[in-house]
Amino acid sequence: MARVRYLGNEPVTVPELGDREIQPDEVVEVPDARYEGYVCQTTKWRPVEDPAGQAPGADVAPKKTSVKREG
């Protein structure tokens, strides 16, 4: 299961989660297959833990860039 944080200002009832009432700033588990359906709603949900069990961006190493200078 993946985890997301609800960003809204008012509680909402989420039918997909068994008609559970979700409070503002609450972190909830969502089915892995539906994770993208939540986090694509960037004004309502924020990723906390992706389906692989990692915090968003945890597997992304900083990119090193090289600049080739001529002259």
Side-chain angles (χ1 to χ4, degrees), residues 4-30:
V4 294
R5 179 180 310 276
Y6 175 57
L7 302 175
N9 296 324
E10 303 278 331
V12 293
T13 301
V14 181
E16 184 172 74
L17 301 177
D19 288 327
R20 180 173 164 196
E21 185 176 80
I22 309 300
Q23 300 297 318
D25 203 40
E26 183 176 351
V27 174
V28 296
E29 289 189 342
V30 297

Side-chain angles (χ1 to χ4, degrees), residues 25-48:
D25 203 40
E26 183 176 351
V27 174
V28 296
E29 289 189 342
V30 297
D32 290 352
R34 294 289 301 133
Y35 174 76
E36 289 297 327
Y38 286 86
V39 298
C40 74
Q41 301 175 60
T42 58
T43 61
K44 295 290 182 190
W45 302 95
R46 176 175 295 144
V48 172

Side-chain angles (χ1 to χ4, degrees), residues 66-71:
S66 60
V67 176
K68 185 177 180 180
R69 297 180 189 231
E70 294 184 32

